[in-house]
Amino acid sequence: MHLLVFDSGIGGLGVVREIRRLQPDARISYLADNGFFPYGEKPDAALLVHIVGLIGRAIEFLKPDAVVVACNTASTIALGALRAAYALPFIGCVPPIKPAAAASKTRVIGVLATAATVRRAYLRELIETFAPDCEIHSLGAPTLAALAEQKFRGHAVDVASAVAPLFNQPGAGRMDAVALGCTHYTFLHPEFEALYPGVTWFDPALPVARRTLAVTGGLSTPAAARAGAAWFTAPLADMDVMRPRLAEFGFDEVCQGAL
């Protein structure tokens, strides 16, 4: 079983980490669309055409058995079109509204995501289905994904000004749970917790990993076939930093350039 995990950058590596923790012998290829990053502020129509085309080329070239769209923005925009176009399993990623609502004692929850995810009707449907009795505060944060990219590369980051508008909304002081609607935010989880220790932050990485294993039947792979590479759609200027970081996620081979 060969799995392709896709994201606009490094965010999907949090999902990869959880998959490897649950299934250490999984064969995974990773595709990061850093050439079109960030997704969150781009028009939906442009993203739809771009994502479907890129993943289509990756499917043709890499021949995966299943694809994880480990990007909330890409999932909410393109998952339906991908499933209609290609006859293989696609596992998407959605903001963890359901667990956040289930855990909230105050019935006031937050959604921290990209602007593209916040404006999608799918988010409203999730809220109506899983949090109909909750007061919802949402924020489309334009800078957090880029800050996550910086932190991944070893830079110190300050997320306070980016997150504060979520908590400054009227009534938001009672929030006790926040759903993270972008996989990039996995890597900023410690910063969020340090700023707001009374809030429980819900990360999508583990639920997506569990769903992936359920859909694919466990991803068991013969040892001889386990090697996978990390692909980037644009050259990396900091390969000296990124190569050892990617190796931590099981990717010793790094490929750059358009598929």
Side-chain angles (χ1 to χ4, degrees):
M1 176 66 73
H2 177 198
L3 184 69
L4 173 63
V5 178
F6 167 78
D7 186 54
S8 62
I10 55 87
L13 290 169
V15 175
V16 169
R17 179 170 56 196
E18 294 299 331
I19 293 172
R20 293 202 190 279
R21 186 175 64 81
L22 297 172
Q23 188 71 52
D25 65 350
R27 181 189 178 195
I28 303 173
S29 294
Y30 189 75
L31 174 58
D33 190 16
N34 61 317
F36 210 59
F37 177 89
Y39 279 4
E41 308 304 312
K42 289 185 169 65
D44 290 1
L47 284 169
L48 175 61
V49 172
H50 176 80
I51 292 166
V52 172
L54 174 60
I55 293 182
R57 293 192 297 276
I59 290 170
E60 181 178 355
F61 184 73
L62 297 172
K63 304 288 193 294
D65 299 296
V67 178
V68 179
V69 182
C71 171
N72 286 267
T73 298
S75 292
T76 57
I77 290 172
L79 201 56
L82 288 166
R83 286 173 172 158
Y86 303 103
L88 72 167
F90 286 88
I91 299 93
C93 184
V94 299
I97 302 294
K98 183 177 181 180
S104 176
K105 300 294 191 298
T106 65
R107 314 312 296 154
V108 181
I109 68 174
V111 181
L112 188 62
T114 66
T117 295
V118 165
R119 69 174 175 256
R120 297 293 291 181
Y122 188 66
L123 178 61
R124 294 192 294 273
E125 293 168 5
L126 284 174
I127 292 169
E128 291 169 2
T129 301
F130 297 115
D133 64 332
C134 289
E135 179 182 326
I136 309 295
H137 297 272
S138 61
L139 176 68
T143 61
L144 283 175
L147 289 173
E149 292 275 343
Q150 293 175 27
K151 185 187 175 185
F152 187 84
R153 291 160 166 81
H155 302 294
V157 296
D158 184 355
V159 304
S161 61
V163 179
L166 177 65
F167 289 86
N168 290 340
Q169 297 175 22
R174 297 175 54 239
M175 274 193 307
D176 62 352
V178 175
L180 298 178
C182 174
T183 51
H184 270 80
Y185 301 171
T186 295
F187 296 99
L188 300 174
H189 206 150
E191 283 76 10
F192 298 150
E193 289 184 325
L195 283 170
Y196 300 96
V199 174
T200 303
W201 300 81
F202 288 85
D203 186 337
L206 181 56
V208 173
R210 287 174 173 159
R211 178 62 180 163
T212 299
L213 296 183
V215 168
T216 60
L219 291 175
S220 183
T221 308
R226 288 176 195 162
W231 296 79
F232 289 80
T233 59
L236 292 166
D238 53 356
M239 181 63 81
D240 57 329
V241 174
M242 290 294 284
R243 190 178 293 279
R245 285 293 281 134
L246 292 164
E248 295 174 21
F249 294 82
F251 300 111
D252 293 323
E253 182 180 0
V254 182
C255 305
Q256 305 172 80
L259 286 171

